[in-house]
Amino acid sequence: MAEAPDVARRESEVANKSPRTSAVGNVPAGQRPDGTRSVAEASSANAELPYSPFSTRVKVTIVLITALTALVGPLSAYMYYPSIQVVRDEFHTTQSAVTWTITVFVIAMAIFPLIWSNLADKYGRKPIYVVSMLVYTCGSIGCALSRNLAALIVSRIIQAAGSSAVQSSGAGTISDIYPREQRGTAMGIYFLGPLLGPCLGPLIGGYVGQDVSWRWVFWILTIWGGVMTLLAVFVLPETHRRIVSKKYRIQQINIPPELSLKDNNPLVDILTIRYPTIALTFFLLSMVFGAFYTNTTGEALAYQNMYGLSQGTSGLCFLASGIGCVAGALIGGRVIDLLLKRSKRVMIENANQDSEEEKADLAKVKVPPEARLGVVWIGTTLFLIGIITCGWLIDKHLSLAGVLVMQFCIGAGMAFTAQGLTGYLIDAFPNRAARITGAQNFWRSVWGTAIVQLFPTILANIGWGWTYTVMFFLTLLSFVGIMLVALKGRELRAKYGPFDAP
């Protein structure tokens, strides 16, 4: 336990001090063999190289495969929800016992990304995608064939273990192929997977479970997993920058050093919460995701119990938040890219240009990670309006149309906020993108598991309006913290760490 900070320090030192070499021999990028090239010339030479060797078409293909793979985890969770009562009756068990098929899935989704992300940094992204999707497919088959509750619980753990890999490795893949100023749009497309799952899952699972069988829910997921496995094997290229840099001439930036398995310690990733800026970012992410998943769980109850909709029709209502997620992901990603470009332009204009050696250019200017947080206040404000209004509309049994409009706001606000915060974490740890994503997934899943389990009790005691009001104030409190990071984050990082970013 005590060694974790030392391991993190060693990683940072290796990342910062290890020489960047060019693709030709052992000569550092931008330097002649006689060492006569200036710093400015070296920087310019490195900037002339592509950030990634892949064409635009290939990069779009990579992003789409990553997003579709990221969809399997949330789909596996939420497609099953409408059938849980049927499973309880078929296995002749209790509500409390069958709930474990949900609980173990969420716990596994929190833990396994920490393992997968470390393996991805060690062996590359492609092998992890292939192996994890094979594990997922086997777990889905096991769920479909389960003849008792114990077999279903074990199969759900295997299914979650496989589907969780891309929850961390996906963000690492995006950072592998896109520079910071172009990453927002790609991250928006990637986020469509995790965010659409809670919206499409109940819709698909509701109709399949109602009209066919709950087992066909898992057969459909098996087919999806098989297709993703084939795409990972035959279409998806290796993108890890350290591995790619050995084969192609690319910019020698954001290339993590190769660490031993001993140094690839998940505990190091979990303990990044000791940094004030990272802790406050995790706090808002956890509150927003917790409120989002709690709202998704409550939606089915509200539509069926409060508004009298059927299981299938209530599933259609989830499209409101799903459409909001799509809009927020696509627009938010573009806005983040524009914010970074604007920040970079302002920094260039304000840079000291007295001498040629000090003259700022696009290759040398480093925009701080906090520039990404400019979009968070938009997303969180929209999310807060949606949560508080939706809760009281349901509580007073008012307009269903109004509830659906607020669900759109919740989805759009969630997508905006998640992109800004995740992008900030990746920029704060440029050489550990997959691992820091695994860490934030762990902490938000811990809170999400707790609040979803508490939701029925809270709802029964204080009602819809006040339950959503509690989520509103928790999210608002965490939002105040992230505004502190936006204003003082650079100073806090300089004093307390992490020290990886400018």
Side-chain angles (χ1 to χ4, degrees):
M1 295 285 289
E3 294 180 358
D6 294 332
V7 175
R9 192 178 301 112
R10 287 201 302 273
E11 289 182 4
S12 180
E13 290 173 355
V14 174
N16 292 329
K17 294 182 180 179
S18 58
R20 300 293 187 228
T21 59
S22 70
V24 181
N26 294 318
V27 180
Q31 180 177 315
R32 299 190 187 98
D34 60 4
T36 58
R37 183 168 291 184
S38 68
V39 174
E41 290 173 326
S43 175
S44 177
N46 190 50
E48 290 174 358
L49 296 173
Y51 183 84
S52 167
F54 305 111
S55 66
T56 300
R57 180 181 62 82
V58 173
K59 286 191 287 188
V60 170
T61 301
I62 293 170
V63 173
L64 291 177
I65 292 176
T66 304
L68 290 172
T69 308
L71 183 58
V72 299
L75 269 186
S76 301
Y78 286 90
M79 280 180 67
Y80 170 66
Y81 278 6
S83 300
I84 190 169
Q85 307 302 327
V86 180
V87 173
R88 180 197 64 186
D89 296 339
E90 182 172 325
F91 289 156
H92 305 289
T93 186
T94 64
Q95 183 66 37
S96 149
V98 78
T99 301
W100 277 103
T101 59
I102 297 175
T103 304
V104 296
F105 188 92
V106 176
I107 293 173
M109 287 288 288
I111 295 173
F112 279 97
L114 295 168
I115 300 172
W116 288 120
S117 61
N118 280 269
L119 293 175
D121 276 350
K122 174 68 176 175
Y123 299 108
R125 316 289 188 209
K126 183 182 177 75
I128 299 307
Y129 278 92
V130 173
V131 173
S132 65
M133 283 297 98
L134 282 173
V135 171
Y136 169 79
T137 304
C138 292
S140 298
I141 293 172
C143 290
L145 297 177
S146 294
R147 297 302 173 189
N148 54 63
L149 185 61
L152 182 58
I153 289 174
V154 172
S155 297
R156 288 283 283 173
I157 295 173
I158 297 171
Q159 189 188 42
S163 64
S164 67
V166 74
Q167 302 299 319
S168 56
S169 299
T173 301
I174 302 301
S175 67
D176 287 339
I177 61 176
Y178 285 103
R180 296 173 66 198
E181 295 77 16
Q182 302 173 17
R183 200 176 292 161
T185 302
M187 287 292 287
I189 297 173
Y190 160 68
F191 266 112
L192 287 177
L195 294 178
L196 279 178
C199 309
L200 296 178
L203 171 62
I204 300 171
Y207 279 112
V208 172
Q210 176 180 288
D211 298 335
V212 188
S213 163
W214 69 267
R215 295 183 186 278
W216 263 100
V217 168
F218 292 109
W219 285 124
I220 291 173
L221 294 172
T222 298
I223 295 170
W224 190 285
V227 171
M228 291 300 101
T229 302
L230 292 175
L231 288 175
V233 172
F234 296 109
V235 180
L236 188 70
E238 177 56 66
T239 63
H240 196 289
R241 292 189 62 76
R242 186 185 68 250
I243 298 173
V244 171
S245 67
K246 296 177 181 179
K247 299 180 180 179
Y248 303 96
R249 288 174 54 85
I250 62 173
Q251 292 181 24
Q252 301 296 301
I253 57 175
N254 294 344
I255 299 180
E258 185 170 1
L259 302 174
S260 66
L261 283 177
K262 179 182 177 181
D263 287 336
N264 279 278
N265 184 356
L267 183 60
V268 173
D269 306 330
I270 293 175
L271 291 180
T272 52
I273 198 172
R274 70 187 184 276
Y275 301 121
T277 55
I278 304 305
L280 291 171
T281 306
F282 286 170
F283 186 24
L284 180 55
L285 267 171
S286 299
M287 294 305 104
V288 170
F289 269 90
F292 180 76
Y293 289 138
T294 302
N295 169 70
T296 304
T297 304
E299 274 188 274
L301 295 174
Y303 296 144
Q304 294 177 40
N305 298 341
M306 303 293 288
Y307 294 96
L309 303 181
S310 67
Q311 181 178 335
T313 305
S314 66
L316 286 173
C317 293
F318 282 85
L319 290 177
S321 56
I323 295 171
C325 286
V326 173
L330 297 180
I331 298 174
R334 182 59 180 163
V335 170
I336 290 174
D337 283 346
L338 293 175
L339 276 176
L340 285 186
K341 290 177 181 178
R342 177 181 178 277
S343 298
K344 197 166 194 175
R345 185 171 63 251
V346 170
M347 292 182 69
I348 292 172
E349 292 173 355
N350 295 335
N352 183 0
Q353 300 184 18
D354 292 340
S355 67
E356 186 67 25
E357 189 72 19
E358 296 177 340
K359 187 176 182 180
D361 57 45
L362 288 175
K364 293 169 64 177
V365 170
K366 302 295 183 183
V367 180
E370 287 73 24
R372 289 191 184 273
L373 299 179
V375 75
V376 171
W377 73 269
I378 302 174
T380 307
T381 301
L382 194 61
F383 184 82
L384 288 169
I385 292 172
I387 281 288
I388 192 71
T389 308
C390 183
W392 286 105
L393 284 174
I394 295 173
D395 188 86
K396 302 303 180 182
H397 202 180
L398 297 176
S399 168
L400 176 60
V403 171
L404 296 180
V405 171
M406 291 303 104
Q407 289 296 330
F408 174 88
C409 293
I410 290 172
M414 167 70 174
F416 257 83
T417 304
Q419 284 183 85
L421 296 178
T422 302
Y424 173 76
L425 291 172
I426 292 173
D427 284 355
F429 293 92
N431 294 323
R432 290 185 279 169
R435 296 175 63 180
I436 191 61
T437 307
Q440 63 97 351
N441 179 79
F442 172 82
W443 288 113
R444 85 181 191 210
S445 296
V446 168
W447 170 248
T449 303
I451 193 63
V452 168
Q453 292 296 319
L454 290 171
F455 173 67
T457 303
I458 299 173
L459 184 63
N461 283 279
I462 62 177
W464 288 95
W466 287 110
T467 298
Y468 275 60
T469 300
V470 169
M471 293 190 293
F472 171 88
F473 279 109
L474 286 173
T475 306
L476 180 63
L477 178 62
S478 61
F479 178 58
V480 173
I482 209 65
M483 288 298 98
L484 174 63
V485 176
L487 295 173
K488 299 292 183 181
R490 198 168 188 178
E491 291 87 340
L492 289 171
R493 286 189 294 107
K495 186 174 182 179
Y496 302 106
F499 305 106
D500 304 57

